[in-house]
């Protein structure tokens, strides 16, 4: 089925380890973004991209890197994991950043110990 | 920039109507959205309204927009236990500025 695919669904990391959260969409959406969801904090935007080769920072970018080499993929890299990065991460895509609604992936639950 | 505020919790009895409220600050928001998040899942677009509309109805859902007060509401008629979820309000303009989401309202439906 068409949509946004996130992998893995669950991950446990040790402090200081690095990893990449994968996000892929097959809807030819130009806009892709990463959010983290924490209790009582809602969704906070980490990084976003309005097209291949273009990325920008959101509200909480520190500790995370992104790149957008293709329209389909938008991986999120944690360089040196910290317990404060324990969260649920969502990838979302859309035809444009500001309109017509987003399609969300099912999330990656990350625990850093 | 845009700021979106919602109350965090709402509890209703099965069969009653639910009203979830949202306020926003950016009067230039072109689209206003309601998303639903069920436990363990991502957000799903529930409905949306353009800024030039006052009301939109879709089966059990009614969205009301008061542009003067920058107030958006979502009414769910005949609320069912399957409506228990977190509901997010979001606003945005067309173009390259990301949507801004509220913190979400957790709706609990009591049987």
């Amino acid at each position: 089925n068409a949509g946004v695919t996130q992998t893995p669904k669950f991950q446990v990391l040790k402090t200081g380890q690095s990893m990449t959260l994968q996000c892929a969409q097959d809807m030819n959406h130009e806009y892709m973004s990463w959010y983290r969801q924490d209790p009582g904090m809602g969704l906070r935007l980490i990084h976003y991209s309005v097209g291949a080769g273009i990325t920008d920072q959101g509200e909480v970018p520190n500790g995370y890197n992104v790149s957008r080499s293709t329209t389909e993929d938008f991986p999120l890299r944690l360089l040196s994991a910290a317990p404060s990065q324990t969260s649920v991460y969502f990838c979302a895509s859309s035809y444009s950043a500001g309109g017509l609604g987003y399609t969300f992936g099912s999330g990656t639950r990350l625990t850093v110990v | 920039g845009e700021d979106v505020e919602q109350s965090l919790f709402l509890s209703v009895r099965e069969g009653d109507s639910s009203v979830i409220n949202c306020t926003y600050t950016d009067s230039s928001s072109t689209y206003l959205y309601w998303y639903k998040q069920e436990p363990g899942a991502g957000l799903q677009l529930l409905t949306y309204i353009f800024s030039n509309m006052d009301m939109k109805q879709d089966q059990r859902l009614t969205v009301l927009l008061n542009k003067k007060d920058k107030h958006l509401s979502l009414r769910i008629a005949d609320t069912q236990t399957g409506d228990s979820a977190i509901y997010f309000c979001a606003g945005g303009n067309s173009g390259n500025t990301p949507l801004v989401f509220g913190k979400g309202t957790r709706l609990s439906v009591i049987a």
Side-chain angles (χ1 to χ4, degrees):
Chain A
N1 287 340
V4 177
T5 303
Q6 288 185 239
T7 56
K9 291 192 185 304
F10 301 95
Q11 183 72 49
V12 178
L13 286 179
K14 293 183 178 178
T15 297
Q17 286 185 317
S18 62
M19 79 159 295
T20 300
L21 280 63
Q22 301 290 346
C23 176
Q25 53 88 12
D26 57 2
M27 297 170 284
N28 204 31
H29 284 169
E30 289 294 326
Y31 175 77
M32 296 185 75
S33 55
W34 278 101
Y35 291 86
R36 59 178 289 173
Q37 185 177 25
D38 303 290
M41 302 294 290
L43 290 173
R44 291 185 290 172
L45 181 64
I46 305 171
H47 285 284
Y48 66 98
S49 167
V50 297
I54 306 167
T55 63
D56 208 344
Q57 296 181 348
E59 182 186 354
V60 288
N62 292 341
Y64 307 95
N65 271 3
V66 292
S67 59
R68 183 96 179 271
S69 55
T70 67
T71 300
E72 294 78 20
D73 300 295
F74 191 44
L76 179 72
R77 297 182 188 86
L78 280 70
L79 307 173
S80 177
S84 61
Q85 294 179 304
T86 293
S87 187
V88 181
Y89 291 85
F90 288 100
C91 179
S93 73
S94 180
Y95 288 108
S96 70
L100 303 179
Y102 292 176
T103 301
F104 280 82
S106 57
T108 295
R109 185 174 294 274
L110 175 68
T111 302
V112 183
V113 298
Chain B
E2 174 81 280
D3 191 21
V4 178
E5 297 283 340
Q6 301 178 240
S7 54
L8 295 183
F9 301 99
L10 178 66
S11 182
V12 298
R13 293 198 177 277
E14 192 174 20
D16 287 351
S17 291
S18 307
V19 179
I20 303 171
N21 294 302
C22 168
T23 58
Y24 60 97
T25 57
D26 188 352
S27 57
S28 66
S29 290
T30 308
Y31 307 90
L32 293 146
Y33 301 87
W34 285 104
Y35 285 82
K36 178 183 181 182
Q37 184 184 31
E38 296 183 351
L43 279 70
Q44 287 185 297
L45 180 63
L46 200 57
T47 187
Y48 64 92
I49 189 167
F50 293 115
S51 59
N52 62 357
M53 300 168 66
D54 297 324
M55 184 181 85
K56 180 179 180 182
Q57 189 148 4
D58 184 2
Q59 299 183 332
R60 292 190 298 121
L61 305 178
T62 302
V63 179
L64 294 178
L65 175 60
N66 181 327
K67 288 186 288 292
K68 175 176 169 289
D69 294 337
K70 299 191 189 69
H71 182 266
L72 182 74
S73 67
L74 173 69
R75 178 177 180 270
I76 305 173
D78 186 25
T79 311
Q80 303 297 307
T81 54
D83 295 322
S84 292
I86 302 175
Y87 291 82
F88 290 89
C89 170
N93 299 303
S94 56
N96 286 338
T97 305
L99 295 185
V100 177
F101 287 84
K103 288 185 167 49
T105 300
R106 184 180 295 274
L107 173 65
S108 297
V109 182
I110 306 163

